[in-house]
Amino acid sequence: MEMREKLGSYLSFLNKYSAIIALAIIVIYGTLFVPHFMSVANLKAILFQYSIIGFLALGQLLVIITGGIDLSQGSLVAFTSIVAAVLMAQIGLVPAVVGAVLFCSLLGLFSGLLVSRTKIPAFIVTLGMLGIGRGLAKFVANAKPVPITDEFFRSMGRAELIGVPLCAILWVIASIMLYQFLKRRRLGRYIYAVGSSEESARLAGINIKKVKLFVYTMSAFLTSIGALIWASRLGSGSPIGGIGYELESIAAVIVGGASLYGGTGSVVGTMAGVMIFGVINSILNLSGISPFWQGAIKGILILSAVALSQIQMRRSRKA
Amino acid sequence: MNDLTPILKLKQIGKSFSGIPVLTNVDLDLYPGEVHCLMGENGAGKSTLIKIISGSYTADSGEIDYLGQTYPSYSPRWAHRNGINTIYQEIDLVPHLTVAENIFLGNEPLTKFKNINKSEMNKKAEAVFNDMGVDMDVRVKLQTLKVANQQLVAIAKALAFNSKVMILDEPTSVFTNTEVELLFKLIRKLKEQKIALLYISHHIEEIFEIGDRITVLRDGNLVRTGLIGEFNKDSLIKSMVGRDVKIERHDDGKKMGGVILSVEGLGQDGVVDDISFKLHKGEILGVGGLVGAGRTEMARLVMGADRRQRGKVIYMGKEIQIKSPNHALALGIGLVPEDRKQEGIVPMRSVSENMAYSLIEKRARFGLVHWKAIKKMVLENFTALNVQPQSPEKNINLLSGGNQQKAVLGKMLCADCDVLILDEPTRGVDVGAREEIYKVMKDLKNKGLAILMISSDLIELMSQSDRILVMAGGRIAGEFSSAEATEEKILALALNQGGNQQ
């Protein structure tokens, strides 16, 4: 019995910090065995590339804690980039950026309305939005990339602050804010309550609709920030960009310890999850492993993360 | 007590579900500082009454006076906010939040920046537990607590909301004896604080230990309300049963055959223990007991739906290790589950397809489903069972409960079982279909099948069974032949030994 308890607490410790431990192991492996991995240029490259997924994952985290899912993120990246590019040519930088964020958030709000007020499952609602976002992007752009000429905007995606990519700094700041929000604000706690037991939350007087509306809007909002960074680095808006990004953000959140059944998930875990995929991607590229393998390796990672949390859940249920 | 005015007064409450009355003109008073026990057998209407008080159900007729105001109904949220709290058996808390967060959910203390004031919240939560005299770490997640402790959190939550009326729905069913003592100490404290408690429990000893007054419900009617001193154990059971119905026993003089299934010392921690019985060919063995006595769990263990930790199952003279319900079926042991919607039928598919599921593997040819043979057999049973409407291709969702149940029974008939376990075979079934189900059971019995029938309906139990086992607290409390069984005897056994597992 005692052994079991020990094993249980050991497992729960492992589960809580599994993403960070895994990240550390992978980084150590990369440092020791992969040439050029631990170089300033390579680390910067990882941060530049993965802070985009990082923003998406923060939004995805909120949705997943409530027990939902947001499949529309990839399309919203394309949509936002197109809106920003088109508006920038016509009304200037600041209004274009504000407009793009606003339009994207509105699509999120729409998903949130459907999820919270109808019985349509989040999977279906956001699958629909996946089509709508991509369709709108193609329609607005006439299915062609829209170049961005604003030099300042183009430079932001590559900008560095004391040697650190600016976009990564912004991502960390956003993460800290979200961390505080989830820990200290009522709405932040209610997100967990809704995902853990919706009925109990309702009986406690929590406005479930408001919580759901908020997380889908927020997911689209954070996606639009990631999309702007992406567009800036690309130097254009693209109607075919961002395909599959939603799966990467979901994977990062899950590897970061969240459960698709809702109620759990953390910002720190999600950040580690994002970085795990960034680092693995980099190691595979540097080692010259075929990109075809990379999907499979990521898949194995996701499955092991979910298997670990399942074992943990079964244990806690037995106790 | 009587010089006070009641804090909550139910007047002539009536409620029916799909035309069947569940409560008829029930009155109930609750005084501050009393422990009022609500008693009645399964299906007497206790749960419905509680749900009306807590706002989950709206009464069809009658009114509720609360704190001098009259309400036809109110919402659960209103009740919760205004001091009427129910501590349900299934706990209404959020597993992933901490104890303190659960207590103040929706009502968190804030800092001046509108952040949640965690230290204040934890302090307040600790104060609530201190008042209760309970040692509790308010910072741990609720899901890490034992169920009994989760119950205490639910009570603490009610207290933090300034509860005036607290409904405890079988609070001790998951408690050990020491935990029960702790709860009683707490209840006495709550009484001093002038909280009115409505206490529901199947453990008669508890009622006499903690109660001030008793209200007895039977078949949705108020039988009697009185001070605890006006009752003793026997008179209480009598007023709970109190029916004067002549029970027609089916006794066709047919002798039962040899033992086909025998269970020895079956047990699983925290569920059932020490279950032994023998089931004969051509016998209907009834299993009575209260909800939660472990009857369904026992059946699941016999069937291999859950894995047993102890005991033997001997079937046709051989000890068998049943691995799964599928395996059991292949051996000839079939189960008609209690929860028809969840476990019995495959919704959205046709009646005949539902009936065929048990056959698909048995009647396969070259590894392919042999639909022709299956259809033939299904049709035979379909006609024999008189399933209405008489179109086997109809979507099973469109059938009445009784006819769905007949179809589930038909599924088992198709499987050529030698032993059938029926869990609450007529729950939610109308009278006509009920008689037909009884007839089918009788036919099967005459064919030499052995039937284990779990039932909460005492009359059904006594009229249909050859022998009756009574379960209580996960054990077999006793056995009667159908001739010696009476409602009082069965209920007394079921209630008496409802001791708590250590």
Side-chain angles (χ1 to χ4, degrees), chain A residues 180 183-187 189-190 192-197 199-207 262-264 316 319, chain B residues 76-77 80-81 91-98 101 104-110 113-116 118 141 143 157:
Chain A
Q180 293 294 337
K183 265 235 137 67
R184 304 195 171 208
R185 302 299 289 191
R186 279 178 160 191
L187 188 52
R189 297 319 289 169
Y190 294 171
Y192 284 97
V194 167
S196 182
S197 172
E199 190 51 31
S200 310
R202 191 203 322 281
L203 286 177
I206 291 170
N207 188 339
T264 58
S316 71
Chain B
R77 205 147 114 192
H80 182 54
R81 292 289 150 126
I91 292 161
D92 257 330
L93 297 169
V94 181
H96 289 104
L97 297 185
T98 69
E101 281 174 340
F104 291 101
L105 188 61
N107 202 29
E108 296 84 353
L110 299 178
F113 300 112
K114 294 244 179 147
N115 286 330
I116 292 174
K118 239 181 200 167
K141 282 194 183 170
Q143 59 180 0
K157 180 173 180 172

Short mmCIF file of all heavy atoms in Angstrom, two decimals, chain A residues 180 183-187 189-190 192-197 199-207 262-264 316 319, chain B residues 76-77 80-81 91-98 101 104-110 113-116 118 141 143 157:
data_model
loop_
_atom_site.label_atom_id
_atom_site.label_comp_id
_atom_site.label_asym_id
_atom_site.label_seq_id
_atom_site.Cartn_x
_atom_site.Cartn_y
_atom_site.Cartn_z
N GLN A 180 -0.88 35.17 -14.42
CA GLN A 180 -1.46 35.93 -13.32
C GLN A 180 -2.99 35.92 -13.40
O GLN A 180 -3.68 35.78 -12.40
CB GLN A 180 -0.95 37.38 -13.35
CG GLN A 180 0.53 37.51 -13.05
CD GLN A 180 0.84 37.12 -11.61
OE1 GLN A 180 -0.02 37.14 -10.74
NE2 GLN A 180 2.09 36.72 -11.37
N LYS A 183 -4.42 32.65 -12.31
CA LYS A 183 -4.22 32.38 -10.88
C LYS A 183 -5.05 33.30 -10.00
O LYS A 183 -5.58 32.87 -8.98
CB LYS A 183 -2.73 32.59 -10.53
CG LYS A 183 -1.94 31.31 -10.57
CD LYS A 183 -1.21 31.03 -9.27
CE LYS A 183 -1.32 29.59 -8.87
NZ LYS A 183 -0.64 28.65 -9.74
N ARG A 184 -5.15 34.56 -10.38
CA ARG A 184 -5.66 35.54 -9.44
C ARG A 184 -7.02 36.13 -9.74
O ARG A 184 -7.67 36.63 -8.84
CB ARG A 184 -4.68 36.71 -9.33
CG ARG A 184 -3.33 36.23 -8.96
CD ARG A 184 -2.49 37.36 -8.51
NE ARG A 184 -1.27 36.82 -7.97
CZ ARG A 184 -0.55 37.40 -7.04
NH1 ARG A 184 -0.96 38.54 -6.55
NH2 ARG A 184 0.54 36.86 -6.60
N ARG A 185 -7.39 36.14 -11.02
CA ARG A 185 -8.67 36.77 -11.32
C ARG A 185 -9.78 35.75 -11.15
O ARG A 185 -9.60 34.57 -11.38
CB ARG A 185 -8.68 37.31 -12.76
CG ARG A 185 -7.59 38.32 -13.04
CD ARG A 185 -7.68 39.53 -12.18
NE ARG A 185 -8.81 40.38 -12.55
CZ ARG A 185 -8.98 41.62 -12.07
NH1 ARG A 185 -8.09 42.14 -11.24
NH2 ARG A 185 -10.02 42.32 -12.43
N ARG A 186 -10.96 36.29 -10.78
CA ARG A 186 -12.11 35.40 -10.67
C ARG A 186 -12.37 34.66 -11.97
O ARG A 186 -12.53 33.46 -11.99
CB ARG A 186 -13.35 36.23 -10.37
CG ARG A 186 -13.50 36.60 -8.96
CD ARG A 186 -14.73 37.44 -8.88
NE ARG A 186 -15.21 37.46 -7.53
CZ ARG A 186 -16.40 37.95 -7.21
NH1 ARG A 186 -17.19 38.43 -8.13
NH2 ARG A 186 -16.78 37.96 -5.97
N LEU A 187 -12.42 35.44 -13.06
CA LEU A 187 -12.74 34.83 -14.35
C LEU A 187 -11.75 33.71 -14.67
O LEU A 187 -12.11 32.66 -15.20
CB LEU A 187 -12.71 35.90 -15.44
CG LEU A 187 -13.20 35.49 -16.83
CD1 LEU A 187 -14.56 34.83 -16.78
CD2 LEU A 187 -13.22 36.68 -17.78
N ARG A 189 -10.20 31.74 -12.53
CA ARG A 189 -10.54 30.54 -11.76
C ARG A 189 -11.81 29.89 -12.31
O ARG A 189 -11.98 28.68 -12.29
CB ARG A 189 -10.74 30.86 -10.27
CG ARG A 189 -9.52 31.38 -9.54
CD ARG A 189 -8.24 30.68 -9.90
NE ARG A 189 -8.15 29.30 -9.41
CZ ARG A 189 -7.21 28.46 -9.79
NH1 ARG A 189 -6.31 28.82 -10.68
NH2 ARG A 189 -7.17 27.23 -9.31
N TYR A 190 -12.73 30.73 -12.76
CA TYR A 190 -14.00 30.19 -13.27
C TYR A 190 -13.77 29.36 -14.53
O TYR A 190 -14.52 28.45 -14.84
CB TYR A 190 -15.00 31.32 -13.57
CG TYR A 190 -15.45 32.06 -12.33
CD1 TYR A 190 -16.21 33.22 -12.42
CD2 TYR A 190 -15.12 31.59 -11.07
CE1 TYR A 190 -16.62 33.91 -11.28
CE2 TYR A 190 -15.52 32.28 -9.94
CZ TYR A 190 -16.27 33.44 -10.05
OH TYR A 190 -16.67 34.10 -8.93
N TYR A 192 -11.34 27.33 -14.96
CA TYR A 192 -11.06 25.98 -14.44
C TYR A 192 -12.34 25.33 -13.92
O TYR A 192 -12.59 24.15 -14.15
CB TYR A 192 -10.03 26.04 -13.30
CG TYR A 192 -8.62 26.25 -13.78
CD1 TYR A 192 -8.04 27.51 -13.79
CD2 TYR A 192 -7.85 25.17 -14.21
CE1 TYR A 192 -6.74 27.71 -14.23
CE2 TYR A 192 -6.54 25.36 -14.65
CZ TYR A 192 -6.00 26.63 -14.65
OH TYR A 192 -4.72 26.81 -15.09
N ALA A 193 -13.14 26.13 -13.20
CA ALA A 193 -14.36 25.56 -12.61
C ALA A 193 -15.30 25.03 -13.69
O ALA A 193 -15.83 23.93 -13.57
CB ALA A 193 -15.06 26.63 -11.77
N VAL A 194 -15.45 25.80 -14.77
CA VAL A 194 -16.35 25.38 -15.85
C VAL A 194 -15.84 24.09 -16.48
O VAL A 194 -16.60 23.17 -16.76
CB VAL A 194 -16.48 26.50 -16.90
CG1 VAL A 194 -17.14 25.97 -18.18
CG2 VAL A 194 -17.28 27.65 -16.35
N GLY A 195 -14.51 24.02 -16.67
CA GLY A 195 -13.97 22.82 -17.30
C GLY A 195 -14.00 21.61 -16.39
O GLY A 195 -14.09 20.48 -16.84
N SER A 196 -13.96 21.85 -15.09
CA SER A 196 -13.90 20.75 -14.14
C SER A 196 -15.27 20.17 -13.88
O SER A 196 -15.46 18.96 -13.85
CB SER A 196 -13.27 21.25 -12.85
OG SER A 196 -13.15 20.22 -11.92
N SER A 197 -16.24 21.02 -13.65
CA SER A 197 -17.60 20.55 -13.40
C SER A 197 -18.57 21.67 -13.71
O SER A 197 -18.83 22.54 -12.89
CB SER A 197 -17.74 20.10 -11.94
OG SER A 197 -19.08 19.84 -11.66
N GLU A 199 -21.74 21.78 -14.10
CA GLU A 199 -22.97 21.85 -13.32
C GLU A 199 -22.72 22.50 -11.96
O GLU A 199 -23.48 23.36 -11.52
CB GLU A 199 -23.54 20.43 -13.15
CG GLU A 199 -24.93 20.36 -12.56
CD GLU A 199 -25.94 21.25 -13.28
OE1 GLU A 199 -25.81 21.46 -14.50
OE2 GLU A 199 -26.85 21.74 -12.59
N SER A 200 -21.64 22.09 -11.30
CA SER A 200 -21.34 22.70 -10.00
C SER A 200 -21.07 24.18 -10.16
O SER A 200 -21.47 24.98 -9.32
CB SER A 200 -20.11 22.04 -9.38
OG SER A 200 -20.23 20.66 -9.40
N ALA A 201 -20.38 24.54 -11.25
CA ALA A 201 -20.07 25.94 -11.49
C ALA A 201 -21.37 26.73 -11.67
O ALA A 201 -21.52 27.83 -11.12
CB ALA A 201 -19.18 26.08 -12.71
N ARG A 202 -22.30 26.14 -12.40
CA ARG A 202 -23.56 26.84 -12.61
C ARG A 202 -24.29 27.05 -11.30
O ARG A 202 -24.80 28.12 -11.00
CB ARG A 202 -24.44 26.05 -13.59
CG ARG A 202 -25.64 26.84 -14.07
CD ARG A 202 -26.79 25.98 -14.56
NE ARG A 202 -26.34 24.81 -15.27
CZ ARG A 202 -25.92 24.84 -16.54
NH1 ARG A 202 -25.94 25.96 -17.20
NH2 ARG A 202 -25.50 23.75 -17.12
N LEU A 203 -24.33 25.99 -10.48
CA LEU A 203 -25.02 26.09 -9.20
C LEU A 203 -24.37 27.13 -8.30
O LEU A 203 -25.03 27.74 -7.47
CB LEU A 203 -25.04 24.72 -8.50
CG LEU A 203 -26.00 23.71 -9.08
CD1 LEU A 203 -25.88 22.38 -8.37
CD2 LEU A 203 -27.43 24.21 -9.02
N ALA A 204 -23.06 27.31 -8.46
CA ALA A 204 -22.37 28.30 -7.65
C ALA A 204 -22.61 29.72 -8.18
O ALA A 204 -22.09 30.68 -7.64
CB ALA A 204 -20.88 28.01 -7.61
N GLY A 205 -23.41 29.82 -9.23
CA GLY A 205 -23.77 31.14 -9.71
C GLY A 205 -22.81 31.72 -10.73
O GLY A 205 -22.81 32.91 -10.99
N ILE A 206 -21.98 30.88 -11.32
CA ILE A 206 -21.04 31.36 -12.32
C ILE A 206 -21.73 31.45 -13.68
O ILE A 206 -22.49 30.55 -14.06
CB ILE A 206 -19.82 30.41 -12.40
CG1 ILE A 206 -19.01 30.55 -11.12
CG2 ILE A 206 -18.97 30.72 -13.62
CD1 ILE A 206 -17.95 29.51 -10.97
N ASN A 207 -21.48 32.54 -14.38
CA ASN A 207 -22.06 32.72 -15.70
C ASN A 207 -21.25 31.92 -16.72
O ASN A 207 -20.25 32.38 -17.24
CB ASN A 207 -22.07 34.20 -16.04
CG ASN A 207 -22.84 34.49 -17.30
OD1 ASN A 207 -23.05 33.59 -18.13
ND2 ASN A 207 -23.27 35.72 -17.46
N GLY A 262 -10.85 18.81 -19.85
CA GLY A 262 -11.06 20.07 -19.18
C GLY A 262 -10.64 20.04 -17.72
O GLY A 262 -10.37 18.99 -17.15
N GLY A 263 -10.57 21.24 -17.13
CA GLY A 263 -10.27 21.37 -15.71
C GLY A 263 -8.81 21.50 -15.37
O GLY A 263 -8.47 21.96 -14.29
N THR A 264 -7.92 21.04 -16.26
CA THR A 264 -6.50 21.17 -15.96
C THR A 264 -5.76 21.82 -17.12
O THR A 264 -6.23 21.85 -18.24
CB THR A 264 -5.83 19.81 -15.71
OG1 THR A 264 -6.03 19.00 -16.87
CG2 THR A 264 -6.39 19.12 -14.51
N SER A 316 -5.60 8.68 -9.49
CA SER A 316 -6.24 9.62 -8.58
C SER A 316 -7.70 9.24 -8.38
O SER A 316 -8.29 9.50 -7.34
CB SER A 316 -6.13 11.05 -9.10
OG SER A 316 -6.94 11.24 -10.23
N ALA A 319 -7.92 6.47 -5.69
CA ALA A 319 -7.59 6.86 -4.32
C ALA A 319 -8.82 7.30 -3.55
O ALA A 319 -9.80 7.71 -4.12
CB ALA A 319 -6.56 7.98 -4.33
N PRO B 76 -32.42 26.72 -8.08
CA PRO B 76 -31.41 26.17 -7.17
C PRO B 76 -30.43 27.26 -6.72
O PRO B 76 -29.97 27.27 -5.58
CB PRO B 76 -30.66 25.14 -8.03
CG PRO B 76 -31.51 24.87 -9.19
CD PRO B 76 -32.44 26.02 -9.37
N ARG B 77 -30.13 28.17 -7.63
CA ARG B 77 -29.19 29.23 -7.30
C ARG B 77 -29.77 30.14 -6.22
O ARG B 77 -29.09 30.51 -5.28
CB ARG B 77 -28.92 30.05 -8.56
CG ARG B 77 -27.61 30.73 -8.52
CD ARG B 77 -27.07 30.79 -9.92
NE ARG B 77 -26.98 32.14 -10.38
CZ ARG B 77 -26.76 32.47 -11.65
NH1 ARG B 77 -26.64 31.54 -12.55
NH2 ARG B 77 -26.66 33.71 -12.00
N HIS B 80 -29.62 28.38 -2.93
CA HIS B 80 -28.24 28.35 -2.45
C HIS B 80 -27.86 29.70 -1.85
O HIS B 80 -27.30 29.78 -0.76
CB HIS B 80 -27.35 28.00 -3.64
CG HIS B 80 -25.91 27.89 -3.31
ND1 HIS B 80 -25.43 27.07 -2.32
CD2 HIS B 80 -24.82 28.51 -3.84
CE1 HIS B 80 -24.12 27.18 -2.27
NE2 HIS B 80 -23.73 28.05 -3.18
N ARG B 81 -28.20 30.77 -2.56
CA ARG B 81 -27.83 32.12 -2.10
C ARG B 81 -28.61 32.54 -0.87
O ARG B 81 -28.20 33.42 -0.13
CB ARG B 81 -28.12 33.15 -3.21
CG ARG B 81 -27.23 33.02 -4.40
CD ARG B 81 -25.85 33.47 -4.01
NE ARG B 81 -24.87 32.75 -4.79
CZ ARG B 81 -23.92 33.32 -5.51
NH1 ARG B 81 -23.79 34.61 -5.54
NH2 ARG B 81 -23.08 32.59 -6.18
N ILE B 91 -21.38 14.41 -5.07
CA ILE B 91 -21.00 15.70 -4.51
C ILE B 91 -20.91 16.76 -5.59
O ILE B 91 -20.31 16.57 -6.63
CB ILE B 91 -19.71 15.54 -3.73
CG1 ILE B 91 -20.04 14.70 -2.51
CG2 ILE B 91 -19.16 16.87 -3.31
CD1 ILE B 91 -18.87 14.08 -1.87
N ASP B 92 -21.54 17.89 -5.28
CA ASP B 92 -21.64 18.99 -6.21
C ASP B 92 -20.50 19.97 -6.06
O ASP B 92 -20.72 21.13 -5.79
CB ASP B 92 -22.94 19.74 -5.94
CG ASP B 92 -23.98 19.39 -6.95
OD1 ASP B 92 -23.58 19.08 -8.08
OD2 ASP B 92 -25.15 19.43 -6.61
N LEU B 93 -19.29 19.51 -6.20
CA LEU B 93 -18.16 20.42 -6.06
C LEU B 93 -17.28 20.31 -7.29
O LEU B 93 -17.47 19.45 -8.14
CB LEU B 93 -17.36 20.06 -4.80
CG LEU B 93 -18.10 20.19 -3.47
CD1 LEU B 93 -17.31 19.57 -2.36
CD2 LEU B 93 -18.41 21.63 -3.15
N VAL B 94 -16.31 21.21 -7.38
CA VAL B 94 -15.44 21.24 -8.56
C VAL B 94 -14.13 20.53 -8.23
O VAL B 94 -13.35 21.03 -7.42
CB VAL B 94 -15.17 22.70 -8.97
CG1 VAL B 94 -14.31 22.73 -10.21
CG2 VAL B 94 -16.47 23.43 -9.22
N PRO B 95 -13.87 19.37 -8.84
CA PRO B 95 -12.72 18.55 -8.43
C PRO B 95 -11.36 19.22 -8.61
O PRO B 95 -10.46 18.97 -7.83
CB PRO B 95 -12.83 17.31 -9.33
CG PRO B 95 -13.91 17.58 -10.31
CD PRO B 95 -14.73 18.71 -9.83
N HIS B 96 -11.20 20.06 -9.62
CA HIS B 96 -9.87 20.59 -9.90
C HIS B 96 -9.52 21.85 -9.12
O HIS B 96 -8.41 22.35 -9.22
CB HIS B 96 -9.70 20.86 -11.39
CG HIS B 96 -9.61 19.61 -12.21
ND1 HIS B 96 -10.65 19.15 -12.97
CD2 HIS B 96 -8.62 18.73 -12.36
CE1 HIS B 96 -10.30 18.04 -13.57
NE2 HIS B 96 -9.07 17.75 -13.22
N LEU B 97 -10.46 22.39 -8.38
CA LEU B 97 -10.15 23.58 -7.58
C LEU B 97 -9.80 23.15 -6.16
O LEU B 97 -10.10 22.04 -5.73
CB LEU B 97 -11.33 24.54 -7.57
CG LEU B 97 -11.74 25.13 -8.92
CD1 LEU B 97 -12.85 26.16 -8.74
CD2 LEU B 97 -10.57 25.77 -9.64
N THR B 98 -9.16 24.07 -5.42
CA THR B 98 -8.79 23.74 -4.04
C THR B 98 -10.03 23.76 -3.16
O THR B 98 -11.09 24.24 -3.55
CB THR B 98 -7.77 24.72 -3.47
OG1 THR B 98 -8.41 25.99 -3.29
CG2 THR B 98 -6.55 24.87 -4.36
N GLU B 101 -11.14 27.30 -2.63
CA GLU B 101 -11.77 27.84 -3.84
C GLU B 101 -13.17 27.30 -4.03
O GLU B 101 -14.07 28.01 -4.46
CB GLU B 101 -10.91 27.50 -5.07
CG GLU B 101 -9.70 28.39 -5.22
CD GLU B 101 -8.78 27.94 -6.34
OE1 GLU B 101 -8.86 26.77 -6.77
OE2 GLU B 101 -7.99 28.76 -6.79
N PHE B 104 -15.63 29.11 -1.64
CA PHE B 104 -15.99 30.48 -1.99
C PHE B 104 -16.26 30.67 -3.48
O PHE B 104 -16.28 31.79 -3.96
CB PHE B 104 -14.89 31.43 -1.52
CG PHE B 104 -14.84 31.53 -0.03
CD1 PHE B 104 -13.88 30.84 0.70
CD2 PHE B 104 -15.79 32.27 0.66
CE1 PHE B 104 -13.86 30.90 2.07
CE2 PHE B 104 -15.77 32.33 2.04
CZ PHE B 104 -14.81 31.65 2.75
N LEU B 105 -16.45 29.57 -4.18
CA LEU B 105 -16.69 29.67 -5.63
C LEU B 105 -17.88 30.58 -5.91
O LEU B 105 -18.96 30.39 -5.39
CB LEU B 105 -16.94 28.27 -6.22
CG LEU B 105 -17.03 28.20 -7.73
CD1 LEU B 105 -15.72 28.64 -8.37
CD2 LEU B 105 -17.36 26.80 -8.19
N GLY B 106 -17.67 31.59 -6.74
CA GLY B 106 -18.73 32.52 -7.08
C GLY B 106 -18.86 33.64 -6.08
O GLY B 106 -19.68 34.54 -6.23
N ASN B 107 -18.03 33.62 -5.03
CA ASN B 107 -18.19 34.59 -3.94
C ASN B 107 -16.83 34.89 -3.32
O ASN B 107 -16.72 35.08 -2.12
CB ASN B 107 -19.12 33.98 -2.91
CG ASN B 107 -19.77 35.03 -2.05
OD1 ASN B 107 -19.97 36.15 -2.49
ND2 ASN B 107 -20.07 34.68 -0.81
N GLU B 108 -15.81 34.95 -4.17
CA GLU B 108 -14.45 35.04 -3.65
C GLU B 108 -14.16 36.40 -3.05
O GLU B 108 -14.59 37.42 -3.58
CB GLU B 108 -13.44 34.79 -4.80
CG GLU B 108 -13.49 33.41 -5.40
CD GLU B 108 -14.55 33.27 -6.47
OE1 GLU B 108 -15.34 34.22 -6.67
OE2 GLU B 108 -14.60 32.22 -7.12
N PRO B 109 -13.42 36.42 -1.94
CA PRO B 109 -12.96 37.71 -1.41
C PRO B 109 -11.92 38.30 -2.36
O PRO B 109 -11.09 37.58 -2.90
CB PRO B 109 -12.34 37.35 -0.07
CG PRO B 109 -12.06 35.90 -0.11
CD PRO B 109 -13.00 35.29 -1.10
N LEU B 110 -11.98 39.62 -2.59
CA LEU B 110 -11.10 40.24 -3.57
C LEU B 110 -10.17 41.26 -2.91
O LEU B 110 -10.47 41.80 -1.86
CB LEU B 110 -11.93 40.97 -4.65
CG LEU B 110 -12.87 40.08 -5.45
CD1 LEU B 110 -13.67 40.92 -6.44
CD2 LEU B 110 -12.10 39.00 -6.19
N PHE B 113 -7.43 45.45 -6.06
CA PHE B 113 -7.28 45.42 -7.52
C PHE B 113 -8.20 44.37 -8.14
O PHE B 113 -8.01 43.97 -9.27
CB PHE B 113 -5.83 45.10 -7.90
CG PHE B 113 -4.86 46.10 -7.39
CD1 PHE B 113 -3.94 45.77 -6.40
CD2 PHE B 113 -4.88 47.40 -7.87
CE1 PHE B 113 -3.05 46.71 -5.92
CE2 PHE B 113 -4.00 48.35 -7.40
CZ PHE B 113 -3.08 48.02 -6.41
N LYS B 114 -9.16 43.92 -7.38
CA LYS B 114 -10.12 42.93 -7.85
C LYS B 114 -9.48 41.58 -8.18
O LYS B 114 -10.03 40.82 -8.96
CB LYS B 114 -10.88 43.46 -9.08
CG LYS B 114 -11.76 44.63 -8.77
CD LYS B 114 -13.21 44.26 -8.99
CE LYS B 114 -14.10 45.43 -8.65
NZ LYS B 114 -15.28 45.49 -9.48
N ASN B 115 -8.30 41.36 -7.67
CA ASN B 115 -7.76 40.01 -7.77
C ASN B 115 -8.36 39.18 -6.64
O ASN B 115 -8.84 39.73 -5.64
CB ASN B 115 -6.24 40.03 -7.61
CG ASN B 115 -5.57 40.57 -8.85
OD1 ASN B 115 -6.07 40.41 -9.95
ND2 ASN B 115 -4.44 41.23 -8.66
N ILE B 116 -8.31 37.87 -6.81
CA ILE B 116 -8.79 37.01 -5.73
C ILE B 116 -7.80 37.09 -4.58
O ILE B 116 -6.60 36.94 -4.77
CB ILE B 116 -8.92 35.55 -6.21
CG1 ILE B 116 -10.05 35.45 -7.24
CG2 ILE B 116 -9.20 34.61 -5.04
CD1 ILE B 116 -10.17 34.09 -7.87
N LYS B 118 -6.24 35.42 -2.11
CA LYS B 118 -6.06 34.02 -1.76
C LYS B 118 -5.84 33.82 -0.27
O LYS B 118 -6.42 32.92 0.34
CB LYS B 118 -4.88 33.45 -2.53
CG LYS B 118 -5.35 32.29 -3.36
CD LYS B 118 -4.28 31.65 -4.14
CE LYS B 118 -4.98 30.89 -5.25
NZ LYS B 118 -4.13 30.45 -6.28
N LYS B 141 -6.20 20.35 -3.68
CA LYS B 141 -7.29 20.21 -4.65
C LYS B 141 -8.32 19.23 -4.12
O LYS B 141 -7.98 18.23 -3.50
CB LYS B 141 -6.73 19.70 -5.99
CG LYS B 141 -6.08 20.80 -6.77
CD LYS B 141 -5.85 20.38 -8.21
CE LYS B 141 -5.12 21.50 -8.93
NZ LYS B 141 -4.66 21.07 -10.25
N GLN B 143 -10.09 17.04 -5.52
CA GLN B 143 -10.08 15.67 -6.03
C GLN B 143 -9.11 14.76 -5.27
O GLN B 143 -9.19 13.55 -5.39
CB GLN B 143 -9.77 15.64 -7.52
CG GLN B 143 -8.44 16.25 -7.87
CD GLN B 143 -8.17 16.20 -9.37
OE1 GLN B 143 -8.98 15.70 -10.12
NE2 GLN B 143 -7.04 16.70 -9.79
N LYS B 157 -19.07 24.58 2.78
CA LYS B 157 -19.50 25.54 1.76
C LYS B 157 -20.88 26.10 2.12
O LYS B 157 -21.12 27.30 2.03
CB LYS B 157 -19.55 24.86 0.40
CG LYS B 157 -19.98 25.76 -0.70
CD LYS B 157 -19.85 25.07 -2.04
CE LYS B 157 -20.31 26.05 -3.11
NZ LYS B 157 -20.04 25.53 -4.45
#
